[in-house]
Amino acid sequence: MKQRVDEGRRRLLALVAGAPVLGVALAACGAEPRPKSAPGPRAPLDADVKLRWQAVHGEQALLALHAATVAAHPDLAGRLQPLTAHHDEHLAALRADGPLPYGAGAAAPAAPSIAADAGAALAAVADAERAAADACVLAALGAAGPRLAAVLASIAASEAGHGAVLA
């Protein structure tokens, strides 16, 4: 009987001695590992920040393509204007999650060359929209955060719709 009591005490002492270690381990698991934006140029970027950064640049490239297409073919402005407004909303949604490092807020890329034929120019925009949709789907699949995954999936659906409308 005495052996059972000693064994019970040992188990109780081991459990009590291990409790602080278990508490620290559990607290570390629940803590946010890092903020979602890098504080400086040498800090490694969180994967979701990189995905947002790439998506912002993709949206800026689409906006530049829309602007160049409308400049070359003003008669396409009515068709592209609602889609351009969607891209402005996409940028706002991507920037709503905080600042982005490394010039993500910089000016849009240089205007691409536009086909002389309005039909070919519109087809190029439709192809770019579909390519951007594919890129957003892949980014959404790679996103760690559920909010970013949902935003990227929503953008992908919108851009796939743009490609279908323009085709």
Side-chain angles (χ1 to χ4, degrees), residues 1-135:
M1 176 91 165
K2 185 173 178 173
Q3 187 177 5
R4 283 176 122 186
V5 172
D6 287 342
E7 189 176 312
R9 279 187 195 155
R10 276 185 246 154
R11 284 185 187 160
L12 180 63
L13 287 174
L15 191 65
V16 169
V21 174
L22 180 61
V24 169
L26 289 176
C29 289
E32 179 71 24
R34 290 186 286 197
K36 291 291 180 192
S37 61
R42 294 197 175 261
L45 291 176
D46 181 77
D48 279 2
V49 173
K50 288 180 184 178
L51 291 174
R52 275 194 319 121
W53 185 74
Q54 291 167 347
V56 164
H57 282 285
E59 290 300 314
Q60 289 173 332
L62 286 171
L63 284 168
L65 179 60
H66 281 227
T69 302
V70 168
H73 304 285
D75 54 314
L76 295 177
R79 268 187 98 176
L80 291 178
Q81 191 283 326
L83 309 182
T84 302
H86 289 165
H87 291 300
D88 287 331
E89 292 170 5
H90 298 165
L91 274 176
L94 289 165
R95 290 181 174 150
D97 283 342
L100 289 166
Y102 304 117
S113 61
I114 304 300
D117 177 58
L122 199 58
V125 173
D127 289 344
E129 293 279 358
R130 285 190 292 271
D134 292 344

Side-chain angles (χ1 to χ4, degrees), residues 51 54 131-144 149 152-153 156:
L51 291 174
Q54 291 167 347
D134 292 344
C136 280
V137 167
L138 291 174
L141 292 172
L152 291 170

